[in-house]
Amino acid sequence: MAAPTAPVMGADGVLVLNSGSLETPTWNEMLNLRDLEWSLSYSDVEVSSRIGGGYKMHEPALGDIAFSTEHLHDPADTQLATLRDAALGPIAVDLAIMDGEIDETGSQGFRMRVKAFDFKRAEMLDGIMSQAFDWKLCYSATPPEYLIIGA
């Protein structure tokens, strides 16, 4: 049995913004990222029939990918300004959330077209200013894809 690999630290994860086209992406890592959390959930469809022996049966239906990001507030950060403008638009952006560098063999994560559904700026008395976004898939002819680099 092969030895397990070392755990991947949260700080190794990256959020990358495509400033190129969908077909020929130009990936730019969001260096000002503080925290990122994503989830994949499915709607629940009841598929009960007599075969269930009197129990309800369920199947997952439509997938729902959502994620949130928090960034240090920096008025000079042009990438953060791109996200802010997308949120104010609202316009779609092409983002990838990866567990390592997007060009590193073995890195994994989702690439998707998203829009911001919530945009917040925190101005805490005893802390730093930050900006946070909640992102969801938007209407696009390009469905999300789970990338495994080099696979």
Side-chain angles (χ1 to χ4, degrees):
M1 181 164 116
T5 59
V8 178
M9 300 300 294
D12 292 334
V14 296
L15 174 68
V16 285
L17 170 67
N18 178 11
S19 62
S21 68
L22 289 174
E23 299 77 25
T24 310
T26 301
W27 294 112
N28 301 289
E29 183 176 344
M30 302 288 302
L31 298 174
N32 196 9
L33 179 67
R34 184 176 170 94
D35 291 318
L36 183 146
E37 182 176 351
W38 66 269
S39 67
L40 169 61
S41 59
Y42 292 90
S43 59
D44 181 323
V45 175
E46 184 185 342
V47 293
S48 302
S49 69
R50 288 185 170 92
I51 198 169
Y55 292 92
K56 283 186 177 183
M57 296 183 292
H58 301 265
E59 286 292 328
L62 294 175
D64 189 12
I65 302 170
F67 65 101
S68 58
T69 60
E70 182 183 1
H71 309 260
L72 301 178
H73 176 66
D74 179 358
D77 184 337
T78 57
Q79 292 175 332
L80 186 57
T82 298
L83 297 185
R84 180 207 58 221
D85 292 347
L88 294 173
I91 58 173
V93 290
D94 184 17
L95 295 174
I97 47 177
M98 306 295 291
D99 65 359
E101 299 296 325
I102 195 156
D103 58 356
E104 183 179 314
T105 299
S107 289
Q108 301 180 33
F110 278 103
R111 177 189 181 183
M112 64 202 105
R113 300 272 299 159
V114 295
K115 287 185 180 177
F117 280 74
D118 195 16
F119 172 41
K120 302 174 278 239
R121 187 167 87 186
E123 301 178 9
M124 305 307 205
L125 180 62
D126 64 346
I128 57 168
M129 291 177 77
S130 64
Q131 294 181 13
F133 303 86
D134 289 334
W135 303 95
K136 293 184 180 183
L137 291 176
C138 62
Y139 184 80
S140 173
T142 306
E145 61 180 319
Y146 193 80
L147 304 173
I148 302 176
I149 304 304

